[in-house]
Every structure is written in C-alpha cells, then in structure tokens.
Amino acid sequence: MRAEGIETVRRILCVFPRYTSSFGTFEYAYPLTDGVQAFMPPQGLLLIAAYLPANWPVRFIDENIRPASKEDFEWAEAVFVSGMHIQRQHMNDICRRAHAFDLAVAIGGPSVSACPDYYPSFDYLHVGELGDATDDLIARLASDPSRPERQVVLRTAERVAMTDFPIPAYELAEVKRYFLGSIQYSSGCPYQCEFCDIPGLYGRNPRLKSPQQITAELDRLLECGVTGSVYFVDDNFIGNRKAALDLLPHLVEWQKKTGYVMRLACEATLNIAKRPEILEKMREAFFVTIFCGIETPDPDALKAMQKDHNMMVPILEGVRTINSYGMEVVSGIIMGLDTDKPETGEALLAFVDESRIPLLTINLLQALPQTPLWDRLMRENRLIEDDSRDSNVDFLLPYDQVVDSWKKCMGVAFEPEKLYARYQHQVDFTYANRIKVPVTPEQKSWANIKRGLIMLRNIFWKIGVLGDYKKVFWKFALPRLRHGDIEGLISVAMIAHHLIMFARLASVGHHNASNYSIRLREAAVPAE
Ligand code: SF4
C-alpha cells in the first residue's frame, strides 16, 4: 500500500546520515571488499520512500556512500531524514545544509520518536511509525512544500498495519555498496529489559508482516542484486514464536527454489535455545548467525536488568545448542552495570574464552530515553549530561575504572591469536553443522568469481603480506584453502580484521565505549 489521492507532484530527497565509527558497522572490513562502503540499507527511509505517492519522484542518498550534493538539494522540494541516536549530529547537519537551500526538512525514525527535543531545527517531526502522521505530512507537503513558520510535530496515532507495508524501495539504494542486505518481519518485543527502548517505542505485542510479503521482499532484494548475507533487523525474531514458525517453512522453500542464494542472520533472545523446532527450521532455512543480547554472564545482573529470560538455560549451554544447529552466536555485552564489581572485567574475559563466541559487541551502559533505566536513574539523580564522557550514567564504580576495564576487555578479547582460536572453534563445531548448500549459477558466474578474487587479493596483500598478525592469519587460512572453503575464509578474515583493528584503537581510547555515545571523533559531513 502507498499514499493515494494526491494529485500534486513533489520531489523528495531522502538522506540517510553517516554513522559514527562503531564496532558493529564493520568499516575496517570495507577496504578488503570489492567496493562496500556502508553497513545495511536503512529500512525506515526506504519504506517511507516506497509509501510516498506513486507520482512523486524520490531520490535516496546514503551519506555513508556519498554526501548529498548541491545538485541533489537544488533538485529537491523537500528533504526527509531518518536515523538513530548515534547519528544525531549528522542528522542535524543534513538539516542545516538543506535549510541553506531553503528546503523544508522532515525527520522520522527511532531517534526523533524517542527524543523529539533533540531536533529543534527541523521543520517537521514525524514521531512514531508509518501511519496517519505520514499521511498528514504528505498532505501538507502536497499543498505547500515551503518551510512552515514554526516546527510542526506530527504523531502517529493510527499505524499502518505491517501487512499493508509496501516493499521498501530497495531499488533506490546501491545495494552492492552494502556489507549486508536487510529485511524486517516483525516490530516490537514482549520483554522489558531495563535498558531497552524497543518495547516503549514499538510495543510489547509484536506486529508482523505476512510470510508472503517476506518472500516477495527477498525476491526484490535478489532482483536488485543482493546475494550473500541478509539480516533480519527485527528486535527479536522470536518475539512471537508462532509467527517465526509460520515464516520459516516459507524461507526454507524460498531458499530451495533459489538455490540457497542468501545466508540469513537475525536477532533473538537466548531462550531460542529451548526451541529445537525453531532452530531446526532455521538451520534448514540457512540461518548462519544469531545476535543474542547476552549482556552479562552474571545471573544477579541479569535479574536486576529484568533479563531473567536469558537464564532459562545456562548461558554456555544455550550458546552450544545454537552452535549445534550451525549458527554462530554474536553477543551483545554491557559493562558499567550497577551489579558490576572490580573483577567484572576478568569474569567477562573468562566468559569470552569459555563461550568461544568470536564477535561480542562490548559497550558501556547508556541510559536511553523512554526506558525503565532512564526513569530509575533520573529518580536516583544519576543521569549525567556531559559529551566528554562515554556514557550518561553515573556508575556505582568510579567512571575511569569502568572505562579502563572496558578498554582492557576490548584489547584482550580481540587479540588476533585469541580471536582466530575462537573462529577455528566455530569452523570445527558450528560451521560443520550447517546444511550443505548447492553451488548456485550466480556463485559460478564470472562476476562472482571476479569479486571473490578481488577480496582474496586484498586479504592476502593487506593481511597476509603487510599485516602485523600475518602468522596467525595464515595458520587459520591455509587449512581453509586446502578445504576449498574460500567463502568461509573471506568471511572470517574480513570480520576478524575489523574486530582486531577496531579493538586495538578502542583499547587506547580512540573509539567510544558506547554505541549510543554522542561523542564524535569524526568531522561532520562537510556542507556543500
Ligand atoms: S529482549 Fe531484546 S529487544 Fe526485547 S526488551 Fe530485551 S533487549 Fe529489548
């Protein structure tokens, strides 16, 4: 479905802001690829682009790939921006540049929906999901695209049902420039972890698309040139277990039909380990990675943050179970919790060793607006507004001690020897459990072979010849080459390189200790 009944034509420029350098966006891997420049196509902005009236020309610019130019702004009649808190400065910068061309600028997405106050300069604030506020915005721009005299705040009261969502306008994005493809099946999560803003923003009763919408989206992604990995951006893939079970047979069928052209990944709670019927179907659908917010191995801390569901099976056992279905676990970890002790860092490093999880995003606790944590810390007078800090939380342990502990964990957990040993474990005990998928004509095509050769050349040269951890690399790479596992080698080498490089800089204070920190270490996108 898309907005209808609008006669006037407006040219809309959708601009997605740059990310600040972050552990989870893999930018140190990009130079090893054949031209990747950004992480994932943004679902929200491409959805809005697809919802606009069919006769409205839309231009989509992802500033992680190239900045919006003078010509783009001169072409447009209005500008749409969307993003997360971490992109706040860049969003405000886009607004400033658009205003230089006297264009009306509207902002939507998770950050403005949680914190409208962050965006005083924008002309239109779109608070909430796709719905009546979107129709109102379109109608206002249709009748008058000029900047309103004062800021207009539009709040969605009636959301468009996800079953009526159009396919995001993937065709507007340069999909080959992205590290991963993205897709969304559901929105919302039934849990209420203290630090998380998802239930507050999107509700506790997950809303869903239909399986047919998802397979149609996969078809569209394929048509647009996406092969390789596609990430379900759902906050919790098993937020509605029945819905996950309904979808999975369709995914299996789609994969069989297309020759398993995509490797799938998602986010889910660790208690998925208790659901063998889901895990088995995910294995069949060629899910290869699950991001689980393990947060901490400390049971007291999990209880305190209302994440008891992580303890429905012992954590290490849960990780092993998921691995036994061929899926690697990626884990989110939080430091700076009230339950942390001076020895928490050591306990975390012991957990990293034992779990054999290669990729853990380790962040300092950050209180997000619209969360129970924010409310509690506000009551306790423990929220600190100071951009020079890596967190807005007044920790119970001294701040410097928490940050030093984080730096140490980053430095040690991602030492090349340790990281590659964890990957070797995955090769032996996780990847070996995956279904054997056929080699597709697409994989055998010259274009794909050329792509692989470019990546291999980059990896061999930049890591195997020039790299300072080349011995560790070759110890892993040679057996992979002997097994003919080129794809596996490329995938591990790229991710590992990013983790090693990012963690090295983080351990000496060159990266933020929180994904959400608004502290910026890069210059804003220059105005054109
Ligand atoms: S399970 Fe995940 S998405 Fe759900 S509330 Fe907890 S952290 Fe948020």
Side-chain angles (χ1 to χ4, degrees):
M1 143 183 204
R2 60 194 311 159
E4 284 170 354
I6 305 273
E7 298 294 321
T8 332
V9 174
R10 298 284 176 227
R11 293 181 303 277
I12 304 297
L13 178 66
C14 295
V15 188
F16 188 65
R18 272 176 62 192
Y19 285 114
T20 305
S21 182
S22 130
F23 198 60
T25 46
F26 300 106
E27 65 262 22
Y28 289 100
Y30 302 167
L32 302 175
T33 67
D34 63 334
V36 166
Q37 288 175 280
F39 184 42
M40 283 195 292
Q43 283 284 317
L45 211 45
L46 293 176
L47 174 67
I48 293 286
Y51 185 78
L52 290 172
N55 56 345
W56 286 24
V58 183
R59 212 178 260 194
F60 169 77
I61 304 290
D62 184 336
E63 295 214 317
N64 294 285
I65 296 174
R66 74 162 177 90
S69 65
K70 178 171 175 282
E71 194 269 327
D72 292 321
F73 286 117
E74 282 173 349
W75 170 86
E77 289 176 279
V79 177
F80 285 10
V81 178
S82 170
M84 299 182 288
H85 293 321
I86 195 169
Q87 294 161 298
R88 174 176 164 190
Q89 262 92 340
H90 290 297
M91 289 192 274
N92 280 319
D93 185 64
I94 294 166
C95 180
R96 182 184 58 73
R97 284 181 283 145
H99 281 169
F101 292 84
D102 204 23
L103 292 167
V105 193
I107 180 171
S111 180
V112 70
S113 296
C115 296
D117 299 352
Y118 285 178
Y119 302 99
S121 313
F122 282 79
D123 302 290
Y124 293 100
L125 303 190
H126 180 290
V127 177
E129 294 177 77
L130 187 71
D132 48 1
T134 324
D135 292 332
D136 196 354
L137 175 64
I138 291 168
R140 283 169 189 258
L141 289 174
S143 81
D144 181 3
S146 58
R147 294 184 58 192
E149 270 180 28
R150 60 184 68 82
Q151 186 175 73
V152 178
V153 182
L154 306 169
R155 291 176 193 275
T156 293
E158 290 230 354
R159 297 181 291 198
V160 171
M162 283 185 82
T163 44
D164 289 331
F165 274 19
I167 295 179
Y170 297 121
E171 67 280 2
L172 296 179
E174 293 177 74
V175 290
K176 285 200 180 296
R177 294 274 162 260
Y178 289 92
F179 196 64
L180 298 173
S182 64
I183 193 164
Q184 182 173 20
Y185 178 45
S186 67
S187 168
C189 177
Y191 298 109
Q192 275 190 304
C193 305
E194 191 193 29
F195 58 85
C196 180
D197 60 355
I198 296 298
L201 283 176
Y202 303 114
R204 296 186 61 195
N205 191 9
R207 300 160 65 230
L208 302 160
K209 292 181 185 168
S210 68
Q212 290 72 22
Q213 281 174 287
I214 294 300
T215 49
E217 282 195 31
L218 287 171
D219 285 339
R220 181 70 61 82
L221 283 168
L222 196 53
E223 280 163 28
C224 292
V226 174
T227 53
S229 299
V230 170
Y231 196 91
F232 277 82
V233 299
D234 307 35
D235 311 306
N236 182 2
F237 188 69
I238 57 162
N240 179 329
R241 286 193 292 272
K242 185 183 166 304
L245 273 170
D246 286 346
L247 172 66
L248 284 165
H250 294 268
L251 293 181
V252 174
E253 199 184 316
W254 189 87
Q255 289 279 45
K256 282 184 179 157
K257 191 180 78 188
T258 56
Y260 290 88
V261 70
M262 289 181 188
R263 299 154 69 91
L264 304 178
C266 70
E267 301 181 10
T269 39
L270 191 60
N271 55 6
I272 195 171
K274 281 191 64 136
R275 299 286 164 183
E277 71 283 13
I278 295 181
L279 291 171
E280 185 49 50
K281 283 276 168 226
M282 289 176 81
R283 178 173 180 270
E284 264 186 74
F286 209 35
F287 274 83
V288 295
T289 308
I290 303 186
F291 180 100
C292 293
I294 290 177
E295 322 304 0
T296 165
D298 176 358
D300 291 338
L302 286 171
K303 219 174 168 62
M305 64 171 74
Q306 281 117 52
K307 199 148 191 177
D308 313 48
H309 51 271
N310 265 5
M311 296 188 290
M312 285 168 78
V313 284
I315 291 178
L316 291 174
E317 193 185 310
V319 172
R320 297 275 178 273
T321 301
I322 295 170
N323 291 163
S324 73
Y325 287 88
M327 287 177 275
E328 181 183 324
V329 173
V330 171
S331 169
I333 296 287
I334 303 175
M335 298 183 75
L337 300 165
D338 283 4
T339 41
D340 279 7
K341 306 167 197 73
E343 55 278 12
T344 290
E346 290 305 321
L348 177 57
L349 288 172
F351 170 76
V352 173
D353 281 346
E354 280 179 288
S355 70
R356 312 287 187 96
I357 296 174
L359 201 179
L360 306 98
T361 60
I362 309 173
N363 290 303
L364 286 191
L365 182 68
Q366 179 83 1
L368 299 177
Q370 296 211 23
T371 60
L373 176 69
W374 174 280
D375 296 341
R376 175 169 69 82
L377 295 181
M378 178 75 90
R379 281 195 307 275
E380 295 172 7
N381 204 19
R382 289 175 55 204
L383 288 175
I384 299 180
E385 270 195 46
D386 175 354
D387 286 356
S388 67
R389 286 169 53 101
D390 277 327
S391 167
N392 62 351
V393 177
D394 184 9
F395 304 125
L396 294 184
L397 290 173
Y399 173 78
D400 287 341
Q401 186 178 347
V402 176
V403 174
D404 285 349
S405 179
W406 174 80
K407 286 183 192 165
K408 182 169 175 222
C409 286
M410 291 295 284
V412 175
F414 298 103
E415 281 169 5
E417 296 79 5
K418 286 181 187 287
L419 179 60
Y420 267 100
R422 301 203 296 277
Y423 270 120
Q424 188 58 53
H425 177 90
Q426 298 300 317
V427 168
D428 297 334
F429 297 97
T430 301
Y431 308 160
N433 300 319
R434 288 178 183 162
I435 54 169
K436 306 285 169 267
V437 297
V439 180
T440 60
E442 144 72 25
Q443 281 170 311
K444 283 188 275 189
S445 68
W446 170 238
N448 195 52
I449 292 170
K450 192 171 148 211
R451 222 175 132 232
L453 288 173
I454 292 171
M455 291 195 267
L456 272 184
R457 180 202 62 195
N458 292 342
I459 289 167
F460 288 163
W461 180 245
K462 291 183 181 169
I463 303 174
V465 176
L466 302 179
D468 59 18
Y469 62 92
K470 51 176 159 286
K471 269 197 190 150
V472 180
F473 166 75
W474 285 114
K475 189 174 159 207
F476 177 87
L478 289 175
R480 291 295 87 221
L481 289 172
R482 276 198 292 273
H483 280 88
D485 181 17
I486 306 295
E487 204 178 322
L489 171 61
I490 289 175
S491 153
V492 168
M494 284 200 304
I495 304 274
H497 188 64
H498 169 75
L499 301 180
I500 290 166
M501 301 318 283
F502 189 100
R504 273 187 190 164
L505 290 171
S507 67
V508 291
H510 284 289
H511 282 303
N512 291 345
S514 164
N515 260 338
Y516 300 103
S517 172
I518 59 164
R519 186 166 150 197
L520 290 183
R521 293 178 192 273
E522 295 173 61
V525 183
E528 295 215 359

